[in-house]
Amino acid sequence: MGCSPGCRSRRHGRRPGWRAGSGRPRGRRSGCSRRGGWRGCPPSVRPSWSRARPTILDSSDVEVFGRGKRGVAYTYEGKKAGRPLLASWARTGLVLATDLLAGDQDVRPRAAVVLARALGNLPAAVCAPPLLRADSGFFTGDLARTAVATGVDFAIAAPPNSAFWRAYAAVEETCWTDARDMTGAQVATSDYAPKGWPPGTYTIIRRVKVRASEISADPRSRRRRTIPKAQLALALDGIADHAWAVSFIVTNIPADNGPDIVALEHWFRGRADIETQIKDHKLGAGLRHLPSADPIINTVWMWAAILAGWLSSLLQTLTGFDQRAGRAHGDRLRHELITVPGRVVRHAGQLILRLPPGRDQHLTTALARLRALPAAV
């Protein structure tokens, strides 16, 4: 463990590795072609989409009301909810596969099935080898084995247990490297792999310095569970002025210690992007509730919300709307591009669309770019 010679290089055979500082993989999917699958997509977008390494798994609870609703259940938080399980293409924000579970159902048994469906929905033009990125709710060896069997590298957050704490304790102090874009954070690697996980699996450990005054006295605090018990006791007793909050990532993505590991850990933190996507589906596309007592109708409702998300993402990509200030949420997109009032008038034998002052800067550009797209075949 720690900085042993086996930890210094994480490349195995000819598998694609991690390129530090770029967030891009080494290598391409076998048999892929950059030429196909992008008809109608702006040339400036095609390279970045073809290199995007999907996908992310996440779930979210949708609270419902009413005694007669089927296919929902009470969560551990005490609210009645359905639980959409989503597999998303991270770079594009597109949901590739989903499943609707009850609020008390464990997502792990269904995760491998949803992952397989998501991979089947990837365009053939995506040349980068897929990646699986998931939080600790999906920590299961079955998912990791399924990913490897389908040619997918994985990085999954792990809930701490005694084995992980032993791995953390074995890391030498000189092995820690400052993390990127996270104040007070450091990362290191360990050879530890949970029993039964695929060969080549190892653990990335991140620790973040927390001042003793910032540690909650509430034993239910989530952060307290990430601090080793000995350090927590010293900090709460006022003996130590700080402690380390520790988190674990189990992965098989080839990378070298140092810059590559720092880049890989920084990339993994981007899994929070899917939480923003889920929020947009809830607030901007109607997924904040499941209106029917029939679970089949609620599943259709969920897919309608996801389709709305697809239309939003593709519209912004095709028109270049997301290049101005980033990807817009549903409400801003409707305000600035879709629900713009206007009047069609005829002048000198031509039809002219007149828009109100201050709201004409985006729609005209978007319409011009849509007209310039090649016809679908």
Side-chain angles (χ1 to χ4, degrees):
M1 298 183 183
C3 289
S4 62
C7 289
R8 291 201 175 96
S9 179
R10 298 294 176 186
R11 297 199 185 102
H12 301 277
R14 295 182 177 272
R15 291 174 53 214
W18 194 265
R19 181 175 293 117
S22 68
R24 295 177 182 175
R26 299 182 178 99
R28 295 170 58 182
R29 289 171 66 190
S30 59
C32 72
S33 170
R34 293 178 187 266
R35 296 181 180 179
W38 303 126
R39 185 174 301 275
C41 187
S44 60
V45 175
R46 297 176 193 175
S48 63
W49 278 30
S50 65
R51 291 193 300 266
R53 300 194 74 173
T55 183
I56 307 176
L57 280 173
D58 204 353
S59 63
S60 178
D61 292 337
V62 178
E63 188 172 9
V64 299
F65 302 92
R67 297 180 179 179
K69 291 201 172 184
R70 304 187 303 275
V72 298
Y74 285 98
T75 69
Y76 70 94
E77 296 176 334
K79 63 181 181 182
K80 182 181 282 190
R83 180 169 291 170
L85 169 59
L86 308 175
S88 297
W89 186 358
R91 177 69 64 88
T92 64
L94 302 176
V95 175
L96 298 173
T98 184
D99 203 355
L100 182 59
L101 309 178
D104 62 347
Q105 283 187 271
D106 190 352
V107 299
R108 290 174 293 181
R110 295 290 302 169
V113 176
V114 173
L115 173 63
R117 283 170 29 207
L119 295 173
N121 290 331
L122 274 177
V126 177
C127 296
L131 287 178
L132 169 64
R133 180 169 56 180
D135 63 21
S136 59
F138 296 88
F139 183 76
T140 170
D142 180 58
L143 177 60
R145 290 188 293 270
T146 299
V148 171
T150 53
V152 177
D153 286 343
F154 61 85
I156 306 174
N161 58 30
S162 58
F164 283 110
W165 287 125
R166 287 194 297 270
Y168 165 71
V171 177
E172 299 175 8
E173 196 64 29
T174 56
C175 293
W176 294 100
T177 304
D178 289 341
R180 183 189 302 174
D181 299 335
M182 195 173 192
T183 303
Q186 296 177 326
V187 296
T189 61
S190 169
D191 285 334
Y192 172 72
K195 184 178 180 180
W197 283 55
T201 300
Y202 64 101
T203 301
I204 297 176
I205 306 174
R206 181 185 68 229
R207 65 178 187 179
V208 183
K209 182 178 288 188
V210 183
R211 291 196 298 268
S213 59
E214 297 176 350
I215 301 176
S216 173
D218 188 345
R220 298 172 299 176
S221 170
R222 187 174 182 178
R223 168 158 282 183
R224 287 171 60 114
R225 296 196 295 268
T226 66
I227 300 175
K229 293 182 179 179
Q231 292 187 25
L232 179 62
L234 292 174
L236 293 178
D237 292 341
I239 300 175
D241 61 355
H242 74 275
W244 293 99
V246 185
S247 56
F248 304 91
I249 305 167
V250 178
T251 180
N252 71 334
I253 300 175
D256 290 336
N257 271 9
D260 281 6
I261 293 297
V262 170
L264 180 53
E265 187 277 332
H266 180 266
W267 163 83
F268 184 80
R269 273 183 268 140
R271 75 187 189 281
D273 292 344
I274 193 175
E275 297 176 2
T276 302
Q277 298 170 18
I278 292 175
K279 182 178 179 180
D280 191 32
H281 281 91
K282 286 185 174 182
L283 302 181
L287 195 55
R288 63 184 177 274
H289 65 103
L290 301 170
S292 177
D294 190 333
I296 297 178
I297 295 177
N298 286 332
T299 301
V300 174
W301 180 278
M302 176 188 67
W303 275 109
I306 291 172
L307 178 60
W310 267 74
L311 294 175
S312 173
S313 297
L314 294 176
L315 177 62
Q316 294 184 61
T317 299
L318 294 175
T319 60
F321 186 82
D322 56 358
Q323 299 176 13
R324 180 180 59 89
R327 183 65 55 83
H329 294 301
D331 51 355
R332 181 164 72 90
L333 179 67
R334 286 193 293 269
H335 175 75
E336 296 185 2
L337 194 61
I338 298 177
T339 59
V340 180
R343 184 172 60 177
V344 178
V345 299
R346 184 180 295 275
H347 177 72
Q350 293 183 340
L351 290 177
I352 300 174
L353 174 62
R354 290 184 177 175
L355 303 174
R359 298 190 65 183
D360 57 351
Q361 66 272 37
H362 304 307
L363 181 58
T364 52
T365 301
L367 290 175
R369 293 190 177 185
L370 290 175
R371 293 190 186 101
L373 292 176
V377 177

